[in-house]
């Protein structure tokens, strides 16, 4: 049933995307300041900042070193000397990502500001920022793109994740905007905002998912939040199961805590379309797996167990999604890897069972763990 609903949602999204495909990017070059918070990002910070500085839409980059204990501050200062006036190096004691972003906003001098992460490659020759800026020019208060995956030098897990990530984000968030009025989230890796709006609303470190908290706050205030699927950036992925577990724990528990903080949103159009379905799918998904696996495990035949994880219609759907990802990334191996993305479905269900529901009840989150960073190799 979920697969049929997915196909229906995908067809609606494709029709909508075809309708808006003719929208052009803004031609206002050098009109956007960028804020990049950085905490212990020595391996990748130079490549991230250089790509941003070469982007035609970027006026200045404000990089806020949030009390790093490695060589991040040194790398930022060296690059600032190479790009005088274009790269603003800001240093502060460790205060959290929200604090670093708000500090960086003090230096922004443009009407629109782009926020991204220190491990994220923003293609310098892409019009992606122009499409985000066009939404702002057309009246949006905030616009988010798609955080895909940086695959150069990446291992197996990032490739499995990338096999479905980009198309699924595009489909889900466009559908949420189309039907629910706004996408579920403007990712911290790829978001543009009216500067005055962001200064007024501000970031909070009350959760470990400050980007989700901010998005829902904007929606609750009646501000216009848009999804732009033609802006694609490339954050680094985790290469080990342990790091994936910790990252998904932060996302899922933060999501649960945000449901508590923004409970008044849950019965609105946005809540019913963009917030609650993702939560309800977990319950239905866990129930479906248990309902199929328990009888097979008890009475057999065990040979049918693989069909629970890889039903034929679902496999056909993910192979199509994998083909789209393979074309975008120019990596044909993503097609056969796509069915293995069921790992991430099972991972999310497990994290919900172990941590998510407890976070929903208690409102408490675990300490934020930082994934390993790698030198950018984007191809």
């Amino acid at each position: 049933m979920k697969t049929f609903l997915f196909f229906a949602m995908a067809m609606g999204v494709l029709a909508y995307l075809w309708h808006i495909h003719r929208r052009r990017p803004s031609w206002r070059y050098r009109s956007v300041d960028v804020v990049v918070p950085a905490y212990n990002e020595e391996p990748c910070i130079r490549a991230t900042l250089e790509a941003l500085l070469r982007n035609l839409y970027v006026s200045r980059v404000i990089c806020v070193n949030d009390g790093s204990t490695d060589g991040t501050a040194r790398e930022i200062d060296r690059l600032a000397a190479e790009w005088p006036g274009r790269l603003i190096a800001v240093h502060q004691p460790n205060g959290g990502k929200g604090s670093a972003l708000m500090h960086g906003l003090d230096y922004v001098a443009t009407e629109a500001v782009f926020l991204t992460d220190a491990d994220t490659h923003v293609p310098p020759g892409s019009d992606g920022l122009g499409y985000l800026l066009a939404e702002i020019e057309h009246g949006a208060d905030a616009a988010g793109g798609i955080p895909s995956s940086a695959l150069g030098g990446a291992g197996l897990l990032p490739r499995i994740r990338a096999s479905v990530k980009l198309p699924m984000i595009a489909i889900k968030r466009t559908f949420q905007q189309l039907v629910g009025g706004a996408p579920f989230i403007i990712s911290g890796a790829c978001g543009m905002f009216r500067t005055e709006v962001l200064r007024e609303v501000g970031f909070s470190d009350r959760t470990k998912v400050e980007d989700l908290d901010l998005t829902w706050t904007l929606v609750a205030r009646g501000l216009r939040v848009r999804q732009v699927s033609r802006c694609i950036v490339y954050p680094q992925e985790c290469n080990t199961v342990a790091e994936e577990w910790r990252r998904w724990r932060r996302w899922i528990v933060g999501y649960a805590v945000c449901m508590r903080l923004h409970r008044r949103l849950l019965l609105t159009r946005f809540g019913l379309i963009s917030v609650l379905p993702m939560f309800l799918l977990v319950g239905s998904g866990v129930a479906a797996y248990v309902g199929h696996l328990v009888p097979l495990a008890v009475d057999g035949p065990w040979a049918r167990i693989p069909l629970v994880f890889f039903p034929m219609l679902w496999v056909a759907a993910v192979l199509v999604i994998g083909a789209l990802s393979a074309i975008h990334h120019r990596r044909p191996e993503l097609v056969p890897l796509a069915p293995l993305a069921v790992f991430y479905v099972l991972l999310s269900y497990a994290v919900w069972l172990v941590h998510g529901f407890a976070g929903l009840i208690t409102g408490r989150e675990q300490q934020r763990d930082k994934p390993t960073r790698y030198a950018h190799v984007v191809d």
Side-chain angles (χ1 to χ4, degrees):
M1 181 63 180
K2 289 193 294 183
T3 305
F4 284 111
L5 290 174
F6 167 76
F7 277 118
M9 180 175 68
M11 292 302 294
V13 167
L14 288 174
Y16 177 73
L17 290 175
W18 179 265
H19 174 69
I20 66 171
H21 183 72
R22 294 183 178 180
R23 177 164 290 180
R24 301 295 183 186
S26 171
W27 297 112
R28 293 172 55 204
Y29 296 137
R30 296 282 184 260
S31 62
V32 176
D33 281 351
V34 180
V35 177
V36 182
Y39 175 72
N40 289 353
E41 309 283 358
E42 183 180 4
C44 58
I45 189 64
R46 171 174 281 269
T48 295
L49 297 178
E50 285 181 333
L52 287 166
L53 289 163
R54 294 198 304 268
N55 193 290
L56 289 176
Y57 288 94
V58 173
S59 174
R60 298 181 306 156
V61 177
I62 299 107
C63 187
V64 183
N65 168 39
D66 186 33
S68 297
T69 57
D70 63 356
T72 298
R74 180 176 62 252
E75 289 294 326
I76 297 172
D77 287 339
R78 285 176 178 172
L79 197 57
E82 297 172 18
W83 294 79
R86 294 286 313 285
L87 176 60
I88 310 301
V90 181
H91 302 281
Q92 67 172 37
N94 183 255
K97 186 175 180 181
S99 169
L101 288 166
M102 292 305 295
H103 194 178
L105 275 177
D106 292 341
Y107 296 83
V108 172
T110 54
E111 295 179 3
V113 57
F114 179 69
L115 307 183
T116 190
D117 291 330
D119 71 321
T120 299
H121 177 76
V122 180
S126 168
D127 288 331
L129 297 190
Y131 285 105
L132 291 177
L133 185 57
E135 284 293 335
I136 300 295
E137 292 171 349
H138 282 81
D141 296 295
I146 297 179
S148 184
S149 303
L151 292 181
L156 178 62
L157 279 179
R159 284 173 167 77
I160 294 174
R161 177 104 165 100
S163 68
V164 298
K165 184 179 180 183
L166 191 156
M168 287 303 299
I169 289 178
I171 290 171
K172 288 192 296 184
R173 293 188 189 173
T174 304
F175 180 80
Q176 290 161 351
Q177 173 182 294
L178 182 61
V179 181
F184 176 78
I185 184 175
I186 292 182
S187 168
C190 188
M192 189 174 291
F193 303 81
R194 291 187 186 278
T195 305
E196 61 182 19
V197 168
L198 196 55
R199 282 177 173 150
E200 178 185 348
V201 176
F203 276 94
S204 169
D205 280 316
R206 62 181 178 174
T207 78
K208 301 296 189 296
V209 285
E210 60 289 318
D211 48 1
L212 184 64
D213 190 11
L214 173 65
T215 303
W216 292 10
T217 299
L218 294 173
V219 173
R221 293 191 177 204
L223 298 171
R224 191 180 184 199
V225 180
R226 310 298 290 171
Q227 170 65 26
V228 180
S229 295
R230 298 188 72 175
C231 179
I232 303 172
V233 302
Y234 301 89
Q236 295 186 6
E237 299 285 359
C238 296
N239 274 290
T240 69
V241 174
E243 288 193 342
E244 283 286 24
W245 178 274
R246 291 192 292 268
R247 183 169 69 163
W248 282 76
R249 181 183 65 185
R250 176 174 66 84
W251 288 345
I252 286 172
V253 176
Y255 171 27
V257 170
C258 280
M259 289 178 67
R260 288 172 55 94
L261 293 172
H262 298 273
R263 50 189 174 272
R264 293 183 180 179
L265 274 180
L266 298 183
L267 296 181
T268 65
R269 172 190 173 193
F270 174 75
L272 294 173
I273 299 298
S274 297
V275 177
L276 286 177
M278 295 183 67
F279 173 71
L280 297 175
L281 278 174
V282 173
S284 63
V286 171
Y289 277 116
V290 171
H292 286 87
L293 287 173
V294 170
L296 290 175
V298 174
D299 300 320
W302 289 9
R304 294 182 57 189
I305 288 179
L307 291 176
V308 175
F309 296 104
F310 302 102
M312 297 308 296
L313 183 59
W314 179 84
V315 169
V318 297
L319 286 176
V320 172
I321 294 171
L324 295 174
S325 297
I327 292 170
H328 176 80
H329 288 282
R330 299 179 182 177
R331 290 180 175 272
E333 72 271 18
L334 297 186
V335 178
L337 288 176
L340 298 181
V342 71
F343 164 77
Y344 285 95
V345 176
L346 299 176
L347 176 67
S348 67
Y349 291 172
V351 173
W352 265 107
L353 291 173
V354 176
H355 298 290
F357 293 115
L360 185 62
I361 294 170
T362 65
R364 297 176 182 172
E365 298 174 87
Q366 289 79 17
Q367 182 67 32
R368 183 170 186 155
D369 293 297
K370 188 177 185 65
T372 302
R373 297 302 194 213
Y374 306 92
H376 275 305
V377 183
V378 178
D379 53 12

